[in-house]
Amino acid sequence: MRVLLLEDDVEIADYIVRGFREDGAVVDHASRGTDALMMATGGSYDVLILDRMVPPPDGLKVLAMIRAGGDSTPALFLTAVGTVEARIEGLELADDYLVKPFAFSELRARVGAILRRHRAGATTESRLVAGDLEIDLLRRSVQRQGRTLQLQPTEFRLLEYLVRHKGEVVTRTMLLEHVWDFHFEPRTNIVETHISRLRSKVDRGFERELIRTVRGAGYRLDVET
């Protein structure tokens, strides 16, 4: 496993590097955003671990630029910025978000879970289909009636979850847990906001709506049988 670590705290960086190297991983460490960006674009990594508060560009901007270049390498934010708003912002781009202080065992477990999800998607199936909608899991792209839909990472995860459960009612709690990894009820309309954005891309301009609201229950992706 090859890991790119962006962390400007020397002690924390040494702790993480030592831990992963003891597991047999190859770890490249950057303390500045510019260095991490250069390393990410010039190398092939299995996972990115990024602090947000580093010399510019910060970790959030680094990952945004990496994603803009079409790189979907699994990523985890490891940061002291732990507000609900910050987590939501981070999960728009990354696969997971861990707040400092942390235990290395949990970091290792979360990285392992991210890699298993990505590898499972690559080895067991390459695409999902729901009616005239198709998701390419390898390219992380979505098409409907041959038209490419430009989705943000969180929108992609949300749509993937709805498609995997097509025809079923999924609740707000289910979406918070499986798309955002929130195991509590944040005081935010994050689900409603992202469903609205997703509808504007998946349903607008098409004759038939796929994403339905089930009053008092949640949402359902309807497909013709």
Side-chain angles (χ1 to χ4, degrees), residues 48-88:
L48 313 175
I49 301 174
L50 311 168
D51 187 7
R52 289 188 57 165
M53 306 301 290
V54 296
D58 63 39
L60 193 70
K61 291 180 180 177
V62 167
L63 188 54
M65 288 186 278
I66 290 172
R67 294 292 190 244
D71 189 333
S72 59
T73 301
L76 176 147
F77 278 116
L78 178 64
T79 176
V81 185
T83 64
V84 169
E85 291 76 15
R87 290 181 60 181
I88 292 171

Side-chain angles (χ1 to χ4, degrees), residues 103-164:
F104 180 76
S105 58
E106 181 177 5
L107 175 60
R108 180 202 288 124
R110 286 175 178 255
V111 166
I114 290 172
L115 292 176
R116 285 193 298 275
R117 288 199 301 269
H118 277 255
R119 288 168 182 164
T123 57
T124 62
E125 55 190 332
S126 62
R127 68 188 188 117
L128 299 173
V129 176
D132 57 6
L133 180 79
E134 180 175 328
I135 300 178
D136 188 320
L137 297 172
L138 299 181
R139 294 184 175 86
R140 310 293 286 178
S141 63
V142 178
Q143 288 191 337
R144 185 172 183 191
Q145 296 181 5
R147 185 195 307 176
T148 299
L149 310 180
Q150 301 297 329
L151 303 186
Q152 295 297 318
T154 301
E155 295 166 350
F156 186 93
R157 292 197 299 269
L158 178 56
L159 181 60
E160 179 183 351
Y161 188 79
L162 289 171
V163 170
R164 289 186 184 278

